[in-house]
Amino acid sequence: MHTSLILIGMKSSGKTSIGQVLAQRMGVAFIDVDQRLEAHYLQATGTQHTFRQILAQHGADYFRALEQTVLRALATELQTKRAVLATGGGTVLNAENRAILATMGQVIYLDVAEAVLLPRIIAGGIPAFFPYPDDPERSLHELLATRRPIYLAMADRVIAYSNEAPEIVAEWIAKA
């Protein structure tokens, strides 16, 4: 019995692009946690918001609670089917989320070189979660110092890469 694959890592680490390629290659569904969160929010409130808008409007506590609800539903769903799941960059920061994810399949940390990650992240503007908006390099460095040990502890496998195409990284994961 093959298991589902759970992709974790920083924002812009390629979880969605690699996950889509991997899911297609494996012949399984691709599930993006942020998209599921948006769909759940729409169903619950009748209002369509992006995950960023939900976070900005309702705050981190509400967002993490909603994310946890979505993860619990996905854990139930993945008991009967396989999928490739892309998490949000901060999903694993919550201990309960980590516990839920650990039951869902094999966790793969996409460990992208910091020098590659920074331009990807700030291409869409400085994220709200960066502690030093005027110093994105310092922000990313400090966030990685905090998050990387959590990602590493959570991961069944670590895939370290820099600028390889999603197809290449998906191939590495499939072979592993």
Side-chain angles (χ1 to χ4, degrees):
M1 164 88 184
H2 291 287
T3 184
S4 291
L5 298 180
I6 317 301
L7 303 180
I8 65 171
M10 278 297 289
K11 171 183 173 61
S12 302
S13 63
K15 298 178 298 288
T16 299
S17 56
I18 292 164
Q20 289 170 331
V21 171
L22 196 54
Q24 184 177 19
R25 181 190 165 100
M26 293 170 59
V28 300
F30 172 74
I31 301 169
D32 183 291
V33 171
D34 288 336
Q35 287 178 348
R36 284 290 179 99
L37 192 141
E38 291 167 1
H40 183 83
Y41 182 83
L42 174 61
Q43 188 176 19
T45 66
T47 307
Q48 188 156 11
H49 281 327
T50 66
F51 68 92
R52 287 181 188 88
Q53 290 170 323
I54 297 166
L55 182 58
Q57 183 172 338
H58 296 284
D61 290 344
Y62 176 90
F63 183 86
R64 292 298 170 209
L66 186 62
E67 185 176 56
Q68 207 162 86
T69 300
V70 168
L71 286 178
R72 283 194 191 104
L74 283 169
T76 300
E77 184 180 328
L78 293 182
Q79 288 176 352
T80 58
K81 75 174 192 181
R82 291 172 54 215
V84 174
L85 185 79
T87 63
T91 302
V92 300
L93 300 180
N94 177 287
E96 196 167 331
N97 287 353
R98 290 194 300 272
I100 295 166
L101 288 169
T103 69
M104 295 168 71
Q106 186 177 53
V107 178
I108 298 169
Y109 168 35
L110 298 178
D111 187 10
V112 180
E114 198 169 329
V116 172
L117 206 48
L118 185 62
R120 286 185 186 178
I121 291 175
I122 63 174
I126 304 296
F129 65 90
F130 266 28
Y132 313 105
D134 294 339
D135 193 347
E137 195 169 329
R138 178 180 174 201
S139 293
L140 179 59
H141 187 74
E142 286 189 13
L143 284 166
L144 280 173
T146 303
R147 291 183 180 191
R148 195 164 191 276
I150 297 168
Y151 292 141
L152 289 169
M154 177 83 210
D156 297 306
R157 291 206 189 293
V158 177
I159 304 293
Y161 77 104
S162 57
N163 258 327
E164 291 82 0
E167 294 76 13
I168 305 275
V169 181
E171 176 76 21
W172 294 344
I173 295 168
K175 284 182 178 173

